[in-house]
Amino acid sequence: MPNLSTPAYHCEARYGYAWVALEEPLAPILDAEEEHDPSYRRIPQFYEVWNTSAFRLMENSFDNAHFAFVHKGHVRPAQPAAAGEI
């Protein structure tokens, strides 16, 4: 009979995210005091619905050359600034 079980992982919900440790956690999740202070607010990042595969999403997120190549001239000037222009 094949093993049809699924491994269990350590998981904790905090700060609006699910934090998962694939092995024994090395340390507890940071307790951010600002989370409970009303003078601070949390701004969720990357909350966009994309119709794409996980590999395509990760490819664009972790590709260090992505912005310099794909967005050349849009994110930063194509030519270095001349002295006195900065």
Side-chain angles (χ1 to χ4, degrees):
M1 181 127 226
N3 181 1
L4 302 176
S5 65
T6 305
Y9 299 105
H10 299 273
C11 182
E12 184 174 344
R14 190 178 294 192
Y15 312 124
Y17 295 97
W19 299 80
V20 178
L22 302 180
E23 296 178 354
E24 190 65 30
L26 299 176
I29 298 170
L30 174 71
D31 186 23
E33 297 174 11
E34 295 84 358
E35 181 68 16
H36 310 291
D37 187 340
S39 63
Y40 288 87
R41 66 184 174 131
R42 182 178 352 119
I43 301 174
Q45 294 187 16
F46 307 111
Y47 187 75
E48 299 175 3
V49 177
W50 291 1
N51 294 322
T52 187
S53 69
F55 290 121
R56 176 74 48 103
L57 178 71
M58 290 187 311
E59 174 191 23
N60 287 336
S61 296
F62 298 123
D63 180 8
N64 293 331
H66 174 89
F67 283 101
F69 182 79
V70 177
H71 305 285
K72 186 175 184 178
H74 296 275
V75 177
R76 61 187 170 113
Q79 299 293 329
E85 289 183 356
I86 300 176

